[in-house]
Amino acid sequence: MSPNMTHAITGEEQAKLYQIRMELYTKMEALTQIPWYYLAAVDQYERNLRFSRKDLPKPEGAIGIYYPKEVWSGPINPNSEDTNPVTIGVFGGMGQDGNGDGVANRLDDEDVLYTMANYIQSYGSDHHNVKIALWDYYQRDKTVALIMGHMKVFKHFGRLELDQHAFPVPIRSNHSYKNTWGDRRGWGGLRMHEGTDIFANYGVPVRSTCYGIIEVKGWNRFGGWRVGIRDLNNTYHYFAHLNGFAKDLTVGQIVEPGMIIGSVGSSGYGPPGTAGKFPPHLHYGMYKDNGYTEWSFDPFPHLRAWERQERNRK
């Protein structure tokens, strides 16, 4: 039931993984009364940590939640490979038997997911207590915020298959771009360009590239009118130099690929409202959160892929 995740998987394999995960989430919801979308959000957050960090093993099963041996078995347990739920409990470990086979295996999907669900349930199953449980576990406000954002998206759409993307401007619009990530920039002081500039005319619609949550909306001295979207991969998508925002766009709003969030402009490099210091274009950046910090990475390959996929769909 735990297909190896170390190779590139096909669309059929991915669909099967989604089915397996949803079956596990709903089973644990029935056992613990923790709604499936909270469990999906924690699992999704941790899975992305494991793909973005070198100090964590890559997930091999359907569930991405990771427990180090000392957390699972107990910090003073002389047997770091202990799978006995009784002795694990004696030594203060978290490991639980989730499938009723009498073994608490930290590499078993059901045991791992049940252990997390049971931990959260010990605080309560309502939203407020789930947040407290997650803060006590992760000790990081941003982590809790990211998981709550993932939860909102899963709950809103009612499914896990949310990995489609869209190009940030209509592909039939008159636009151009090239790989400018890492270039030198002099406006406001010498620094690295953390994104790709997509040149287009004033007023060309700017669209969400992903499923996610509006995390930031407003003015930035350098970026002008800008929007930040957090997706289900713990990635922050940054849209800057906008001419304006879509009507009624708000922080915390759920978005999906292709949804209009604003339009191309030339705002920035001054107090609110400053514009026209450069040709109209969209600055598009991507930043990854790894549970400790956040860093910029090159969006150009993703933009090329999303543009190609959208042209193929059309």
Side-chain angles (χ1 to χ4, degrees), residues 214-231:
I214 301 288
E215 193 170 282
V216 170
K217 173 198 170 189
W219 180 266
N220 176 277
R221 181 184 175 192
F222 298 124
W225 301 117
R226 91 291 196 213
V227 170
I229 297 174
R230 182 73 60 178
D231 73 9

Side-chain angles (χ1 to χ4, degrees), residues 96-276:
Q96 299 277 327
D97 171 20
N99 57 13
D101 64 357
V103 175
N105 182 354
R106 72 185 187 95
L107 301 180
D108 182 273
D109 286 334
E110 289 193 57
D111 291 354
V112 167
L113 188 60
Y114 178 75
T115 295
M116 178 57 72
N118 189 62
Y119 164 78
I120 295 173
Q121 197 275 334
S122 69
Y123 285 74
S125 58
D126 62 282
H127 183 78
H128 176 70
N129 284 315
V130 170
K131 287 183 67 175
I132 294 174
L134 293 176
W135 195 93
D136 283 350
Y137 186 76
Y138 292 104
Q139 299 281 302
R140 183 175 182 245
D141 288 338
K142 187 167 186 177
T143 291
V144 176
L146 264 60
I147 292 174
M148 290 296 104
H150 296 352
M151 178 277 295
K152 285 180 63 177
V153 175
F154 284 132
K155 182 180 180 181
H156 178 81
F157 290 102
R159 67 182 193 274
L160 302 177
E161 301 88 339
L162 301 172
D163 46 15
Q164 184 176 318
H165 291 85
F167 194 67
V169 298
I171 58 173
R172 293 179 179 174
S173 64
N174 183 18
H175 64 271
S176 65
Y177 65 105
K178 62 181 181 178
N179 194 348
T180 56
W181 187 83
D183 288 357
R184 289 161 60 93
R185 286 292 185 268
W187 283 96
L190 191 63
R191 63 188 186 281
M192 185 186 90
H193 188 233
E194 295 184 343
T196 294
D197 290 334
I198 303 173
F199 290 88
N201 296 327
Y202 281 108
V204 168
V206 171
R207 311 181 301 170
S208 172
T209 52
C210 59
Y211 291 94
I213 298 283
I214 301 288
E215 193 170 282
V216 170
K217 173 198 170 189
W219 180 266
N220 176 277
R221 181 184 175 192
F222 298 124
W225 301 117
R226 91 291 196 213
V227 170
I229 297 174
R230 182 73 60 178
D231 73 9
L232 292 169
N233 295 318
N234 302 347
T235 300
Y236 179 76
H237 301 250
Y238 180 63
F239 305 76
H241 306 314
L242 300 178
N243 195 48
F245 305 113
K247 184 179 180 181
D248 299 326
L249 194 75
T250 59
V251 171
Q253 181 176 343
I254 297 170
V255 296
E256 58 185 295
M259 177 178 168
I260 295 176
I261 59 174
S263 59
V264 172
S266 62
S267 60
Y269 297 108
T274 303

